[in-house]
PDB file of all heavy atoms in Angstrom:
ATOM      1  N   ARG S 224    -122.754  -2.544  -0.340  1.00 96.00           N
ATOM      2  CA  ARG S 224    -124.080  -2.786  -0.922  1.00 96.00           C
ATOM      3  C   ARG S 224    -124.996  -1.596  -0.681  1.00 96.00           C
ATOM      4  O   ARG S 224    -125.068  -1.065   0.434  1.00 96.00           O
ATOM      5  CB  ARG S 224    -124.728  -4.021  -0.309  1.00 96.00           C
ATOM      6  CG  ARG S 224    -124.003  -5.245  -0.715  1.00 96.00           C
ATOM      7  CD  ARG S 224    -124.784  -6.510  -0.685  1.00 96.00           C
ATOM      8  NE  ARG S 224    -123.858  -7.540  -1.111  1.00 96.00           N
ATOM      9  CZ  ARG S 224    -123.690  -7.921  -2.364  1.00 96.00           C
ATOM     10  NH1 ARG S 224    -124.437  -7.417  -3.323  1.00 96.00           N
ATOM     11  NH2 ARG S 224    -122.798  -8.826  -2.673  1.00 96.00           N
ATOM     12  N   PRO S 225    -125.725  -1.200  -1.759  1.00 95.00           N
ATOM     13  CA  PRO S 225    -126.661  -0.086  -1.617  1.00 95.00           C
ATOM     14  C   PRO S 225    -127.567  -0.255  -0.401  1.00 95.00           C
ATOM     15  O   PRO S 225    -127.845   0.705   0.318  1.00 95.00           O
ATOM     16  CB  PRO S 225    -127.474  -0.143  -2.919  1.00 95.00           C
ATOM     17  CG  PRO S 225    -126.577  -0.818  -3.913  1.00 95.00           C
ATOM     18  CD  PRO S 225    -125.687  -1.736  -3.123  1.00 95.00           C
ATOM     19  N   SER S 226    -128.008  -1.502  -0.108  1.00 94.00           N
ATOM     20  CA  SER S 226    -128.936  -1.711   1.005  1.00 94.00           C
ATOM     21  C   SER S 226    -128.292  -1.381   2.354  1.00 94.00           C
ATOM     22  O   SER S 226    -128.990  -1.143   3.336  1.00 94.00           O
ATOM     23  CB  SER S 226    -129.429  -3.159   1.004  1.00 94.00           C
ATOM     24  OG  SER S 226    -128.315  -4.034   1.043  1.00 94.00           O
ATOM     25  N   ASN S 227    -126.980  -1.360   2.453  1.00 97.00           N
ATOM     26  CA  ASN S 227    -126.311  -0.987   3.705  1.00 97.00           C
ATOM     27  C   ASN S 227    -125.811   0.443   3.703  1.00 97.00           C
ATOM     28  O   ASN S 227    -125.770   1.086   4.751  1.00 97.00           O
ATOM     29  CB  ASN S 227    -125.099  -1.897   3.974  1.00 97.00           C
ATOM     30  CG  ASN S 227    -125.505  -3.234   4.545  1.00 97.00           C
ATOM     31  OD1 ASN S 227    -126.516  -3.339   5.233  1.00 97.00           O
ATOM     32  ND2 ASN S 227    -124.739  -4.258   4.255  1.00 97.00           N
ATOM     33  N   VAL S 228    -125.386   0.938   2.539  1.00 98.00           N
ATOM     34  CA  VAL S 228    -124.670   2.219   2.575  1.00 98.00           C
ATOM     35  C   VAL S 228    -125.458   3.402   2.022  1.00 98.00           C
ATOM     36  O   VAL S 228    -125.083   4.544   2.256  1.00 98.00           O
ATOM     37  CB  VAL S 228    -123.284   2.131   1.864  1.00 98.00           C
ATOM     38  CG1 VAL S 228    -122.462   0.986   2.433  1.00 98.00           C
ATOM     39  CG2 VAL S 228    -123.399   2.009   0.356  1.00 98.00           C
ATOM     40  N   ASP S 229    -126.549   3.144   1.309  1.00 97.00           N
ATOM     41  CA  ASP S 229    -127.250   4.265   0.674  1.00 97.00           C
ATOM     42  C   ASP S 229    -128.285   4.935   1.576  1.00 97.00           C
ATOM     43  O   ASP S 229    -128.850   5.959   1.217  1.00 97.00           O
ATOM     44  CB  ASP S 229    -127.947   3.800  -0.625  1.00 97.00           C
ATOM     45  CG  ASP S 229    -126.952   3.601  -1.764  1.00 97.00           C
ATOM     46  OD1 ASP S 229    -125.743   3.752  -1.521  1.00 97.00           O
ATOM     47  OD2 ASP S 229    -127.384   3.295  -2.893  1.00 97.00           O
ATOM     48  N   ILE S 230    -128.573   4.331   2.738  1.00 97.00           N
ATOM     49  CA  ILE S 230    -129.600   4.900   3.632  1.00 97.00           C
ATOM     50  C   ILE S 230    -128.947   5.280   4.959  1.00 97.00           C
ATOM     51  O   ILE S 230    -128.318   4.438   5.623  1.00 97.00           O
ATOM     52  CB  ILE S 230    -130.732   3.863   3.878  1.00 97.00           C
ATOM     53  CG1 ILE S 230    -131.370   3.490   2.531  1.00 97.00           C
ATOM     54  CG2 ILE S 230    -131.786   4.391   4.848  1.00 97.00           C
ATOM     55  CD1 ILE S 230    -132.229   2.253   2.593  1.00 97.00           C
ATOM     56  N   LYS S 231    -129.099   6.556   5.331  1.00 98.00           N
ATOM     57  CA  LYS S 231    -128.405   7.049   6.530  1.00 98.00           C
ATOM     58  C   LYS S 231    -128.800   6.270   7.786  1.00 98.00           C
ATOM     59  O   LYS S 231    -127.947   5.932   8.608  1.00 98.00           O
ATOM     60  CB  LYS S 231    -128.701   8.544   6.715  1.00 98.00           C
ATOM     61  CG  LYS S 231    -127.875   9.145   7.827  1.00 98.00           C
ATOM     62  CD  LYS S 231    -128.055  10.633   7.972  1.00 98.00           C
ATOM     63  CE  LYS S 231    -127.080  11.130   9.042  1.00 98.00           C
ATOM     64  NZ  LYS S 231    -127.446  12.408   9.593  1.00 98.00           N
ATOM     65  N   ASP S 232    -130.118   5.987   7.918  1.00 98.00           N
ATOM     66  CA  ASP S 232    -130.584   5.305   9.138  1.00 98.00           C
ATOM     67  C   ASP S 232    -130.054   3.876   9.253  1.00 98.00           C
ATOM     68  O   ASP S 232    -130.187   3.249  10.299  1.00 98.00           O
ATOM     69  CB  ASP S 232    -132.120   5.283   9.181  1.00 98.00           C
ATOM     70  CG  ASP S 232    -132.666   6.662   9.517  1.00 98.00           C
ATOM     71  OD1 ASP S 232    -131.862   7.533   9.909  1.00 98.00           O
ATOM     72  OD2 ASP S 232    -133.887   6.874   9.366  1.00 98.00           O
ATOM     73  N   ILE S 233    -129.516   3.365   8.174  1.00 98.00           N
ATOM     74  CA  ILE S 233    -128.900   2.029   8.249  1.00 98.00           C
ATOM     75  C   ILE S 233    -127.384   2.163   8.427  1.00 98.00           C
ATOM     76  O   ILE S 233    -126.785   1.521   9.277  1.00 98.00           O
ATOM     77  CB  ILE S 233    -129.253   1.206   6.984  1.00 98.00           C
ATOM     78  CG1 ILE S 233    -130.749   0.883   7.012  1.00 98.00           C
ATOM     79  CG2 ILE S 233    -128.404  -0.070   6.915  1.00 98.00           C
ATOM     80  CD1 ILE S 233    -131.274   0.136   5.833  1.00 98.00           C
ATOM     81  N   LEU S 234    -126.788   3.020   7.610  1.00 98.00           N
ATOM     82  CA  LEU S 234    -125.326   3.137   7.658  1.00 98.00           C
ATOM     83  C   LEU S 234    -124.843   3.717   9.004  1.00 98.00           C
ATOM     84  O   LEU S 234    -123.863   3.227   9.580  1.00 98.00           O
ATOM     85  CB  LEU S 234    -124.838   4.014   6.488  1.00 98.00           C
ATOM     86  CG  LEU S 234    -123.326   4.185   6.375  1.00 98.00           C
ATOM     87  CD1 LEU S 234    -122.615   2.836   6.226  1.00 98.00           C
ATOM     88  CD2 LEU S 234    -122.956   5.096   5.196  1.00 98.00           C
ATOM     89  N   GLU S 235    -125.539   4.727   9.508  1.00 98.00           N
ATOM     90  CA  GLU S 235    -125.045   5.400  10.718  1.00 98.00           C
ATOM     91  C   GLU S 235    -124.951   4.462  11.929  1.00 98.00           C
ATOM     92  O   GLU S 235    -123.901   4.421  12.587  1.00 98.00           O
ATOM     93  CB  GLU S 235    -125.892   6.639  11.039  1.00 98.00           C
ATOM     94  CG  GLU S 235    -125.278   7.432  12.169  1.00 98.00           C
ATOM     95  CD  GLU S 235    -125.836   8.838  12.309  1.00 98.00           C
ATOM     96  OE1 GLU S 235    -126.869   9.155  11.680  1.00 98.00           O
ATOM     97  OE2 GLU S 235    -125.226   9.620  13.061  1.00 98.00           O
ATOM     98  N   PRO S 236    -126.007   3.662  12.228  1.00 98.00           N
ATOM     99  CA  PRO S 236    -125.864   2.746  13.373  1.00 98.00           C
ATOM    100  C   PRO S 236    -124.727   1.729  13.198  1.00 98.00           C
ATOM    101  O   PRO S 236    -124.071   1.355  14.167  1.00 98.00           O
ATOM    102  CB  PRO S 236    -127.219   2.026  13.432  1.00 98.00           C
ATOM    103  CG  PRO S 236    -128.169   2.896  12.688  1.00 98.00           C
ATOM    104  CD  PRO S 236    -127.371   3.656  11.676  1.00 98.00           C
TER     105      PRO S 236
END
Side-chain angles (χ1 to χ4, degrees):
R224 292 204 180 269
S226 56
N227 281 330
V228 306
D229 285 4
I230 300 165
K231 187 176 185 200
D232 286 349
I233 292 178
L234 182 58
E235 188 165 12

